[in-house]
Amino acid sequence: MQFPAFVGGSYQSQAYTADQERTVNWYVERIEAPGGSSRSALYPTPGVETIVTATTQPGRGHFFENDREFTVCGNTLYEIGQFGTLSSRGTVAIDGNPATICSNGDGGGQLFVTSGGNGYVYDLTANTLTQIAALNGKATMGDFLDGYFLCLNASNSTFYISALLDGTSWATGTDFAQRSTASDPWVSMKVTGRYVWLLGEVTSEVWYDTGASPFPFAAHPSGLVQYGIAAPFSVARIEGALVWLGSSGIGNSYVLRAPGFAPEVVSNYALQSVLAGYIRVSDAVADTYNDLGHTFYVISFPGQNATWAWDAQTGDWAERGTWNVANNRFDAWSPRFHSLAFGEHRILDSASGGVYRLSSTLMADAGGALIRRVRRAPALTAENERIFYSAFELDLEPGVGAAAGNAQDVDPQVMMRMSNDGGKTWGAEMMRSAGKIGEYKKRVRWNRLGAARRRVFEVSVTAAVPWRITNAFLTLGQSIRSLKGQQQQAQQ
């Protein structure tokens, strides 16, 4: 029989007896064809390979436009050529926050960079970087709209605008707005469409260009948004909407999506329970990218050493992680700050000066580390009766071992372990081959697995091959009726 709901995302409920599913470095894809042999599959998250490594670190900001790629690594602004040449374009201040980079297009020919609380303008023709004295200590983050560079100073809840198409000119004494609609300060800013979102600690506002002079921006008449932001650099644009780690006057630790002026919660109860247990979330940094039809919002919590990813197409949440071999654990996913450059996904390293190519065809993590992938399935119960397990079989695409190289890649292994108390304690891992190259009929199967009242199966893999899991099957001795009922319920 099919394993009920074996393929799925992470969902670790407050009670392990309710659900304790975990999915790391895989994502769920629904099979759209009605004749598919499974309803959904687990596909591997992308790996990376090094394009170039900067001498300063870590990666802090990334931008591409008009065939020119720029990054801030450590205290240096670099330009990156299509084939990885790295050119230093000047130095910037540095603090614990990311840098931001935006452009005023062909009309201005400039980049606006914020880093370490200061603002800088890079002339794209002269290739010179100039620090803007008027913004010293005032530039938390920047953006661009309607010919103006925008700069938020989160320390006093003020945002400034540059002269039209000229980022070297800032009349900070007159061309500014300070929060007055609500008492909580603005701490983050993001442009989406023709609107400027100014996000406070518990409430937010949407501003737009009215065309007035001398200061053209004003609050939109739609009113005050009753949600703020818990982590200033968690806001990102995704599919025409903003997504961020939200907060309000009555609670926090949930992820919001705003396709219009009314945000909606997209995090589930289980994730919100996990986030509520984090000691610190204000340092969270988010990224977005689209690959193979899936748009991901990826949010990392450096202080908690954790990364979560939301799939905007399926609504599923899963974990990302860089495997720490020495400590036998997942750390926060090291790749960060994505940009689509020269027709490929490129991303920086939050722990080094690495600039990487990101692709589903690549099977290594940052620095060439192994990617460990884990799927912990929901517990199997049948009215608390003992279930006897004759066999567990993992349905995956077999025969995808490497043609040559490491033994673990030539003959990739699946590691399976079991828990008989709902995921509290675990037995030893048992390994099975997933098939060398060409072994397309290989079955990944474990026999004579004893009995349990609350059995949890977990599989993990590390070989650098394209792992694709489509299902799992069980051969049972008793209590089949109840489990078949679970299966039918899961398929409805």
Side-chain angles (χ1 to χ4, degrees):
M1 63 171 285
Q2 289 190 20
F3 193 136
F6 180 83
V7 173
S10 287
Y11 197 98
Q12 298 173 44
S13 183
Q14 295 183 57
Y16 259 48
T17 51
D19 204 353
Q20 69 302 305
E21 294 178 65
R22 193 178 190 199
T23 300
V24 188
N25 293 329
W26 265 305
Y27 66 91
V28 179
E29 179 169 296
R30 309 284 188 259
I31 306 303
E32 298 168 319
S37 59
S38 64
R39 298 183 60 199
S40 55
L42 289 174
Y43 290 149
T45 54
V48 300
E49 67 179 2
T50 301
I51 298 173
V52 66
T53 301
T55 56
T56 56
Q57 59 182 344
R60 301 177 53 238
H62 202 181
F63 180 81
F64 177 82
E65 191 172 84
N66 289 338
D67 289 331
R68 298 185 71 175
E69 182 182 7
F70 294 88
T71 178
V72 174
C73 288
N75 67 344
T76 306
L77 175 69
Y78 292 98
E79 182 168 0
I80 308 170
Q82 180 177 359
F83 303 107
T85 56
L86 201 64
S87 303
S88 174
R89 298 304 191 188
T91 59
V92 297
I94 186 171
D95 58 13
N97 291 325
T100 68
I101 310 172
C102 56
S103 168
N104 56 11
D106 292 337
Q110 299 169 332
L111 298 181
F112 178 47
V113 181
T114 68
S115 181
N118 296 337
Y120 306 82
V121 168
Y122 182 75
D123 189 309
L124 290 163
T125 301
N127 290 326
T128 55
L129 182 68
T130 303
Q131 184 172 339
I132 307 303
L135 296 179
N136 285 351
K138 300 177 180 179
T140 305
M141 59 186 65
D143 217 322
F144 172 79
L145 181 64
D146 288 353
Y148 301 96
F149 283 129
L150 313 177
C151 177
L152 175 67
N153 180 6
S155 65
N156 64 0
S157 199
T158 303
F159 92 94
Y160 306 95
I161 66 169
S162 70
L164 190 64
L165 296 175
D166 184 5
T168 64
S169 178
W170 297 76
T172 56
T174 56
D175 292 345
F176 74 94
Q178 192 166 33
R179 185 156 214 204
S180 59
T181 302
S183 59
D184 59 306
W186 289 327
V187 294
S188 187
M189 175 183 69
K190 198 73 171 179
V191 170
T192 180
R194 299 295 301 276
Y195 299 108
V196 184
W197 278 71
L198 292 161
L199 300 110
E201 291 181 344
V202 293
T203 64
S204 301
E205 299 173 53
V206 181
W207 286 50
Y208 73 112
D209 185 353
T210 66
S213 181
F215 190 80
F217 291 93
H220 193 274
S222 58
L224 192 67
V225 178
Q226 297 298 321
Y227 290 99
I229 188 167
F233 289 92
S234 68
V235 61
R237 286 183 289 264
I238 181 169
E239 307 224 320
L242 288 187
V243 182
W244 70 92
L245 183 66
S247 64
S248 69
I250 59 173
N252 54 21
S253 299
Y254 37 73
V255 179
L256 300 168
R257 175 180 177 268
F261 296 149
E264 57 191 20
V265 177
V266 296
S267 51
N268 53 40
Y269 296 134
L271 178 60
Q272 288 163 203
S273 177
V274 172
L275 298 181
Y278 287 173
I279 297 173
R280 182 185 180 192
V281 298
S282 60
D283 61 346
V285 178
D287 225 336
T288 61
Y289 73 94
N290 177 280
D291 188 41
L292 301 178
H294 295 259
T295 304
F296 297 100
Y297 171 80
V298 183
I299 181 168
S300 292
F301 298 86
Q304 300 300 137
N305 215 11
T307 301
W308 290 85
W310 176 62
D311 187 334
Q313 273 64 44
T314 66
D316 290 303
W317 284 91
E319 299 169 66
R320 301 281 175 95
T322 293
W323 183 245
N324 186 324
V325 177
N327 295 312
N328 196 37
R329 73 180 188 207
F330 284 104
D331 290 340
W333 196 43
S334 188
R336 208 168 297 166
F337 305 109
H338 168 270
S339 185
L340 186 65
F342 302 110
E344 60 187 14
H345 295 286
R346 295 188 173 188
I347 200 163
L348 309 183
D349 192 333
S350 61
S352 76
V355 180
Y356 302 123
R357 181 178 296 106
L358 180 79
S359 174
S360 58
T361 64
L362 300 173
M363 303 299 160
D365 206 338
L370 295 173
I371 301 179
R372 185 179 179 92
R373 308 182 192 276
V374 175
R375 171 56 183 166
R376 182 182 300 167
L380 295 167
T381 63
E383 299 176 358
N384 216 25
E385 298 176 6
R386 295 180 72 194
I387 303 172
F388 292 83
Y389 296 90
S390 298
F392 167 79
E393 183 170 343
L394 187 65
D395 190 26
L396 49 68
E397 183 177 352
V400 295
N406 296 326
Q408 65 176 358
D409 299 337
V410 172
D411 187 11
Q413 302 289 309
V414 178
M415 296 162 282
M416 188 274 285
R417 64 176 185 167
M418 302 179 297
S419 170
N420 289 335
D421 52 18
K424 292 289 187 179
T425 61
W426 295 89
E429 289 183 333
M430 298 177 284
M431 302 179 70
R432 295 291 185 274
S433 171
K436 297 179 181 180
I437 187 169
E439 293 183 343
Y440 302 128
K441 296 181 180 180
K442 187 75 172 182
R443 297 177 69 182
V444 184
R445 184 180 176 91
W446 293 262
N447 296 313
R448 291 188 287 185
L449 300 177
R453 289 185 171 86
R454 192 177 298 273
R455 168 69 58 83
V456 177
F457 288 93
E458 180 186 276
V459 295
S460 59
V461 297
T462 56
V465 300
W467 294 100
R468 305 179 183 102
I469 295 176
T470 56
N471 216 328
F473 305 111
L474 298 166
T475 302
L476 305 178
Q478 293 182 9
S479 300
I480 297 176
R481 182 181 303 173
S482 296
L483 278 171
K484 283 187 174 179
Q486 288 186 31
Q487 178 185 0
Q488 292 170 358
Q489 185 178 5
Q491 293 176 344
Q492 290 177 356

